[in-house]
Amino acid sequence: MRPPAARVRERAAAHWPVLPALATVLLVCVPAHHPPGGSGAGATLADAASGILVVCGAVLAVRARTRPLDRVAVAVLAAPVAALAAAAAAAQDPAAGLTGFVRLIQVFVLVPAALVLVLRSRRHARLVSASLAAVAVVQGAIGVHQYLTGTGASYRGEDVRAVGTFGPLDVMGMSSAVACGVVVALAAALAPPARAPRWLRPAALCTAAVLLVPLALSFSRGAWISTAAACAVLLVLAGLRTALRGLAVLLAAAVVLVGGFGVGGDLVAERAGSITEVADDPDQSVTDRYAMWAAAAGIWRENPATGVGPRGFAGHRDAHASLALSSASDTAGAGRDFHRQPLLSPHNMYLLLLAEQGLAGAVALVGGWAALLVLGVRRLLRARAAGRGTDCGLAAVGLLVMGCVDFLYADIGGPSTVLTAVSFGLAAWWALAPTAVSAVSTASTAVSTAASGGVRNAEGADTR
């Protein structure tokens, strides 16, 4: 028998790389500091933790005796760097181009690559997924409290919009966090790990169902659509019988929570109905969005190859936007005074990439996401046939689908952006990392080999 101190050191050596990833997710709950009269929050504690995560990934890559990433992983993760760098070099505002380039690389290259390196087993991936669910529960609980007490962000003249700790300047933050929680909870419910306790499936299903309440109270139409699309993909990939059971539970929960108890009431119904009212009688937010989409398309047509450079949309918006654009939206509530929030992006990631990065940057990034989706689904089907790791695959693919659909109505920005980086990182780990399918943790393998002369995989099965 080894002494307890030795076992603690061994466990710490096996699991320390995942700690910065957990900190990156959990620190999103810390409210960001917004300067008085300012429109941006700047760097947050979660951003700092993501920097530490990147450093840890780099340290592990340097210490590895073998190549940490194969050629496919390097191509998928590094291809966007050259295209984004070219757009930044050609930017009309070099300072803004450099900061925008760094932000894009952080979200879509550095953090995903770091997660590919630091997640050494499926157990690590499940810990990160659990942290996403925990953040969703915390933010959702705060959001429901804001709605019930009238302390949320202003919506239709009432302070009832659930925004969690993100405040009225980042009204999409809470909905993004809660949507991630719904996806990972549903994945765990549809395909719990082989040795999971019996209570995990019903607990995960209840979590996913309960999180639908704050998601509805966020009044975020884009989050509703992207979450529905991701859940539909999960149900299809999980198998017909499992899909029917999960769909029945979610529909029943939606009817009881939203319909039976009247959660959100007429406001939710009105907001949902406005999704189809985009041509006959659109509200001002829809009009602004279409005007900014048209402006982004116009900017890209004038600069098709490399765009106007990162963070260049705001400076070229007015020259291409119609008179219907209001240029700013009203924000208030959730502890902040009335403020006019400038509309500095088109709220469509794909059009933003075309306008600022040109065709080269857009193809490089979107092509990488498509590659992750194809590779991830292929691995998921193999994992389902083998009966192991399906929950990790479902969560990773679901998060990727949710992000890609959400980008039709939103773009990166605000304190919740690190959650997007972690979501794409989990998808990259599942699609590219050998440990996603072998589940062999390098650190735990070395520890077990030294202790017993054998090799024990991350799920606890002896492979000697």
Side-chain angles (χ1 to χ4, degrees):
M1 291 292 293
R2 287 168 294 164
R7 292 198 297 270
V8 170
R9 287 195 298 270
E10 291 168 0
R11 287 183 177 272
H15 299 297
W16 75 263
V18 78
L19 296 180
L22 299 179
T24 300
V25 176
L26 297 176
L27 286 175
V28 171
C29 292
V30 179
H33 172 67
H34 292 272
S39 59
T44 64
L45 290 177
D47 289 321
S50 72
I52 297 175
L53 170 63
V54 171
V55 172
C56 290
V59 170
L60 290 175
V62 171
R63 294 176 58 184
R65 296 183 179 179
T66 59
R67 180 184 298 176
L69 299 175
D70 60 20
R71 293 180 179 178
V72 175
V74 171
V76 172
L77 293 174
V81 177
L84 296 178
Q92 300 178 19
D93 185 348
L98 179 59
T99 57
F101 169 76
V102 172
R103 185 63 159 170
L104 288 170
I105 293 300
Q106 173 204 5
V107 176
F108 295 119
V109 178
L110 295 180
V111 172
L115 284 172
V116 172
L117 295 170
V118 304
L119 299 183
R120 317 305 290 272
S121 68
R122 291 195 292 263
R123 183 174 299 174
H124 286 174
R126 288 172 184 138
L127 287 174
V128 176
S129 297
S131 67
L132 288 172
V135 168
V137 170
V138 172
Q139 294 291 343
I142 296 174
V144 172
H145 178 267
Q146 290 171 335
Y147 172 81
L148 295 176
T149 59
T151 56
S154 178
Y155 178 77
R156 302 290 189 184
E158 303 179 66
D159 293 344
V160 294
R161 187 168 191 175
V163 292
T165 62
F166 297 99
L169 299 183
D170 186 19
V171 294
M172 297 291 293
M174 191 213 72
S175 61
S176 299
V178 171
C180 290
V182 172
V183 171
V184 299
L186 181 60
L190 293 175
R195 298 187 180 184
R198 288 187 174 182
W199 54 261
L200 179 61
R201 185 191 293 270
L205 267 177
C206 290
T207 300
V210 170
L211 286 175
L212 294 178
V213 176
L215 184 64
L217 298 179
S218 69
F219 303 119
S220 175
R221 293 166 294 196
W224 295 348
I225 295 173
S226 60
T227 305
C231 290
V233 170
L234 291 188
L235 292 172
V236 171
L237 293 176
L240 180 59
R241 184 178 301 177
T242 303
L244 291 176
R245 289 199 301 263
L247 182 62
V249 172
L250 286 180
L251 288 178
V255 170
V256 172
L257 294 173
V258 179
F261 293 120
V263 177
D266 296 336
L267 292 176
V268 173
E270 178 186 357
R271 189 69 165 172
S274 68
I275 294 176
T276 59
E277 298 173 356
V278 296
D280 297 333
D281 187 24
D283 58 27
Q284 185 59 45
S285 64
V286 175
T287 301
D288 287 340
R289 186 160 299 183
Y290 280 180
M292 289 189 294
W293 288 2
I299 294 172
W300 171 64
R301 283 192 292 268
E302 291 187 359
N303 306 271
T306 58
V308 295
R311 298 192 176 181
F313 173 82
H316 294 77
R317 180 199 62 190
D318 292 341
H320 297 83
S322 67
L323 296 177
L325 180 64
S326 61
S327 76
S329 60
D330 299 339
T331 61
R336 292 186 66 91
D337 297 329
F338 176 82
H339 178 72
R340 291 279 290 173
Q341 179 76 2
L343 301 177
L344 303 178
S345 68
H347 294 288
N348 182 303
M349 191 65 197
Y350 303 104
L351 290 176
L352 180 64
L353 288 174
L354 284 173
E356 295 188 345
Q357 320 299 325
L359 191 60
V363 169
L365 274 176
V366 178
W369 303 341
L372 292 180
L373 183 59
V374 171
L375 295 173
V377 170
R378 186 173 67 177
R379 275 193 172 179
L380 174 58
L381 295 178
R382 292 177 179 175
R384 199 179 81 179
R388 60 183 183 183
T390 308
D391 60 312
C392 296
L394 285 174
V397 172
L399 290 171
L400 181 60
V401 170
M402 185 191 70
C404 290
V405 175
D406 187 61
F407 280 163
L408 293 171
Y409 308 93
D411 46 55
I412 61 172
S416 61
T417 300
V418 292
L419 295 181
T420 301
V422 171
S423 297
F424 277 77
L426 282 174
W429 169 82
W430 174 255
L432 303 174
T435 53
V437 289
S438 65
V440 177
S441 172
T442 303
S444 60
T445 297
V447 169
S448 299
T449 303
S452 59
V455 177
R456 183 173 296 274
N457 66 19
E459 298 300 322
D462 200 347
T463 59
R464 285 178 293 179

